[in-house]
Amino acid sequence: MPNCDLHCHSTCSDGLLSAPEVARRAAANGVDMLALTDHDALDGLPGARAAANDVGMAFVNGVEISIEWEALQIHILGFAFDLGDQTLNAGLASVRSGRIERARQMSAALEKVGIGGAFDGAMRHAANPNLISRSHFGRYLVEAGVCKDLRSVFESYLVPGRPGYVDHRWATLADSVRWILGAGGVAAVAHPGRYKLSRADMRRFLAEFKDLGGQAIEVMSGSHTPELVDTYARLAREYAFLASRGSDFHGPGESYVDLGKLAPLPDGLKPVWETF
Ligand code: AMP
Ligand code: MN
Ligand code: MN
Ligand code: MN
């Protein structure tokens, strides 16, 4: 089975390496096919593709779209779409547009619990200010000594019910799938095991995604335990979803799994990359 890594981030969103650096690191780690999937942005794709071409690694356009489904923040991956598609580009611009205002509100909320300077602090970590994200706030809170690492930041801050979390209107599930399919791409649910959904709600979500034309789910993910891999392999077979594999690498020292280092897909699944 080829070593395909179809989920990772560059400095165009909340990764620590530039897009060409991500591609070169993937190739050095033995990746045969890479998709760069920055949050809500396509700017890194041409540079990553050029670097992939230089080292002879297959490259697929990717994106990770932030959506809201029944008040939960969920991520939908798009693969192998036309980079110039106007509806997709306009849709992603609309998703990005609220991020700076949300960051100001997050900063104000942190100020109330005695953490000052978070907006400027987070912005210092954001190479692309339009993609200011909770990760950048997290890095600032670690730097400021508020938490010892990113994991504890996300336990104590920046998540629903904790200081620094601000509700946000993202795209809808229907929008995200329509944009990806309209641009000739394939839509996949990112790290399904990470969402706080009951089993029944997850099934309802997957059925709705399938009805809208969604084709794949990420079975192997840097944020899945072996038990979650089993669960989503079973659901992929049951719903006849294609299966994806992605590290969700954000940077050296920050991610649990490096590019290309996940276990292979379990048997009996149809890999999404066979359709590219
Ligand atoms: P945002 O798009 O601004 O809501 O930020 C979401 C990003 O925060 C995700 O893409 C992850 O990179 C990061 N993140 C979310 N939850 C965690 C967590 N528990 N640990 C580390 N990073 C997280
Ligand atoms: Mn991220
Ligand atoms: Mn994600
Ligand atoms: Mn991701």
Side-chain angles (χ1 to χ4, degrees):
M1 197 183 276
N3 185 346
C4 299
D5 193 330
L6 303 182
H7 189 157
C8 60
H9 298 272
S10 76
T11 47
C12 291
S13 62
D14 59 352
L16 295 173
L17 304 179
S18 72
E21 285 167 343
V22 170
R24 285 192 287 270
R25 185 181 182 98
N29 284 2
V31 171
D32 299 307
M33 181 194 282
L34 180 73
L36 175 69
T37 54
D38 275 311
H39 297 286
D40 310 316
L42 309 180
D43 335 11
L45 296 175
R49 179 178 290 280
N53 286 346
D54 285 346
V55 293
M57 175 178 64
F59 185 82
V60 176
N61 288 337
V63 67
E64 183 175 19
I65 305 182
S66 313
I67 69 147
E68 190 188 5
W69 188 80
E70 301 191 352
L72 273 183
Q73 190 180 334
I74 285 180
H75 288 165
I76 301 296
L77 295 163
F79 300 125
F81 46 79
D82 167 16
L83 194 52
D85 184 84
Q86 291 203 356
T87 308
L88 173 64
N89 279 276
L92 294 177
S94 75
V95 178
R96 290 192 296 267
S97 66
R99 279 189 176 267
I100 291 183
E101 177 52 31
R102 167 185 178 244
R104 291 201 185 282
Q105 292 174 15
M106 287 168 63
S107 184
L110 289 168
E111 190 96 47
K112 284 201 186 125
V113 295
I115 301 165
F119 182 83
D120 291 341
M123 274 294 179
R124 279 200 303 278
H125 289 274
N128 181 356
N130 293 321
L131 259 295
I132 182 80
S133 85
R134 287 185 286 157
S135 305
H136 304 115
F137 278 84
R139 287 172 195 147
Y140 168 70
L141 293 184
V142 173
E143 172 193 277
V146 175
C147 291
K148 68 176 193 311
D149 56 23
L150 265 188
R151 181 201 283 244
S152 30
V153 170
F154 279 93
E155 271 163 20
S156 308
Y157 300 92
L158 315 183
V159 288
R162 298 285 185 176
Y165 185 79
V166 172
D167 269 334
H168 190 67
R169 300 302 307 264
W170 304 103
T172 65
L173 178 62
D175 286 337
S176 65
V177 175
R178 184 171 52 82
W179 298 338
I180 294 163
L181 269 56
V186 174
V189 177
H191 42 61
R194 241 172 70 178
Y195 309 120
K196 294 198 163 52
L197 284 172
S198 68
R199 227 180 287 180
D201 287 344
M202 175 53 76
R203 300 181 76 89
R204 212 155 47 75
F205 171 72
L206 292 177
E208 191 174 326
F209 175 68
K210 177 115 192 163
D211 279 349
L212 290 165
Q215 302 105 316
I217 64 174
E218 207 170 43
V219 172
M220 285 306 306
S221 160
S223 47
H224 281 176
T225 59
E227 191 176 46
L228 287 170
V229 171
D230 280 354
T231 300
Y232 288 99
R234 233 182 307 116
L235 286 167
R237 290 185 200 104
E238 182 184 332
Y239 286 80
F241 281 127
L242 300 165
S244 193
R245 172 179 185 260
S247 59
D248 205 1
F249 178 77
H250 281 68
E254 206 173 88
S255 295
Y256 300 122
V257 183
D258 207 329
L259 292 158
K261 298 295 186 189
L262 282 176
L265 276 182
D267 290 334
L269 296 171
K270 189 162 165 39
V272 66
W273 52 83
E274 289 180 358
T275 67
F276 298 157

